[in-house]
Amino acid sequence: AQTVTQSQPEMSVQEAETVTLSCTYDTSENNYYLFWYKQPPSRQMILVIRQEAYKQQNATENRFSVNFQKAAKSFSLKISDSQLGDTAMYFCAFMNLNAGNMLTFGGGTRLMVKP
Amino acid sequence: NAGVTQTPKFQVLKTGQSMTLQCAQDMNHNSMYWYRQDPGMGLRLIYYSASEGTTDKGEVPNGYNVSRLNKREFSLRLESAAPSQTSVYFCASRAGLAGGYEQFFGPGTRLTVL
C-alpha cells in the first residue's frame, strides 16, 4: 500500500513571493504518476500539475513547478509569483498504474496568500 | 460539457436511514470513483469502477454499496447511515493515457448524519 505525507499543515506567503509545499511518498512500485490538486473554499478539486514517474524532467505549468526526486520519494510543489487566488488547500496524490489507477492523497497543506 | 455532476449537494439524515448519492459524467470515461473527505483530511477512496459492469473496494468500503448503472453513471448507497459517515463525498471520473490519467471531480455532496 502507498502512503503520502504532507508535513506542513499550514503555510503562508506574501503576494508575489515564492512558496514551496512538501510531499513525500512511500511505494515499492515503479509505474506511477504524481499529482498536485488544489481545493479552494468552493471545495472543487482542481488539478494543478502532474508528473510521470518515468520522466526525469520536472513538470512545469505556468507559475507552478515541481521538484521530483524519485530516489528520495519526494515531490514538492513550487508556486512562483503567488496570487491571492492561490489561497486554498493543496493535496499531493499518488496514482499506482498497476492497481486500478486510484489516487492516494496526502493530508493536505492549507496555503494562505497574504496581500 | 457539464463534466462530473453529483446530486444532491447537501443532505441531512437520521441514524439508520438510507440514501443514494448520484454521479454522472459526460466525458466518456471508463473509470469512475467515490471518495470521502473528512474535516481537515485528504480524500479516501470508498469504491471504484474500472469499467462498466465492474466495481471494486477501495480503502474505506464498509457501510457502502455502489452500482455502475451504465458508462455515464455511478451511484453510492448508504443502507443504514451512521454518524461516522458524516463527510463530504466526491465522485470522480478518470481520463485515459492520452489525458494523462487526470481524475475529474464533481462538486461534492455534504452529508450530515444525526
Side-chain angles (χ1 to χ4, degrees):
Chain A
Q2 288 72 227
T3 59
V4 180
T5 303
Q6 294 179 247
S7 59
Q8 306 149 314
E10 293 186 1
M11 295 192 71
S12 64
V13 63
Q14 292 295 133
E15 195 176 6
E17 293 188 345
T18 295
V19 64
T20 299
L21 309 183
S22 301
C23 173
T24 58
Y25 58 96
D26 188 20
T27 186
S28 57
E29 300 289 338
N30 268 318
N31 192 19
Y32 59 88
Y33 279 38
L34 294 161
F35 301 84
W36 278 97
Y37 277 88
K38 169 185 178 180
Q39 187 180 44
S42 66
R43 282 206 319 253
Q44 182 68 48
M45 295 290 286
I46 302 165
L47 178 66
V48 175
I49 198 165
R50 96 185 98 234
Q51 175 78 44
E52 299 90 329
Y54 64 85
K55 288 188 177 178
Q56 291 188 329
Q57 185 172 6
N58 289 325
T60 300
E61 288 286 343
N62 300 315
R63 297 181 296 108
F64 300 89
S65 62
V66 299
N67 183 3
F68 174 47
Q69 302 289 327
K70 190 172 183 179
K73 296 179 183 176
S74 171
F75 182 61
S76 61
L77 174 70
K78 185 170 83 169
I79 306 175
S80 304
D81 186 25
S82 296
Q83 301 175 359
L84 295 178
D86 296 333
T87 293
M89 284 288 291
Y90 286 81
F91 293 99
C92 177
F94 175 100
M95 176 182 285
N96 180 356
L97 298 181
N98 296 326
N101 291 10
M102 63 193 83
L103 287 171
T104 301
F105 286 86
T109 296
R110 184 177 302 279
L111 176 67
M112 173 73 71
V113 180
K114 298 180 179 179
Chain B
N1 287 352
V4 180
T5 58
Q6 292 182 235
T7 56
K9 285 187 168 49
F10 301 92
Q11 184 71 48
V12 179
L13 293 177
K14 295 181 180 178
T15 296
Q17 287 185 318
S18 63
M19 79 161 295
T20 299
L21 282 64
Q22 306 286 354
C23 174
Q25 53 95 7
D26 61 3
M27 294 174 282
N28 201 35
H29 291 161
N30 287 320
S31 299
M32 298 184 72
Y33 305 81
W34 276 105
Y35 295 89
R36 61 177 287 173
Q37 184 179 28
D38 298 324
M41 295 179 66
L43 281 67
R44 292 183 295 168
L45 183 67
I46 305 171
Y47 270 94
Y48 69 101
S49 171
S51 60
E52 187 178 353
T54 69
T55 60
D56 283 286
K57 295 178 180 179
E59 180 185 354
V60 288
N62 291 345
Y64 305 95
N65 284 300
V66 291
S67 295
R68 183 73 182 267
L69 304 171
N70 47 56
K71 191 171 186 178
R72 290 187 64 249
E73 299 173 288
F74 187 38
S75 62
L76 177 72
R77 182 161 178 84
L78 287 70
E79 291 291 350
S80 179
S84 60
Q85 294 178 305
T86 293
S87 192
V88 179
Y89 291 85
F90 288 94
C91 177
S93 69
R94 182 183 59 78
L97 175 61
Y101 295 116
E102 178 180 351
Q103 288 197 14
F104 295 82
F105 288 82
T109 294
R110 183 178 293 278
L111 174 66
T112 302
V113 183
L114 303 175

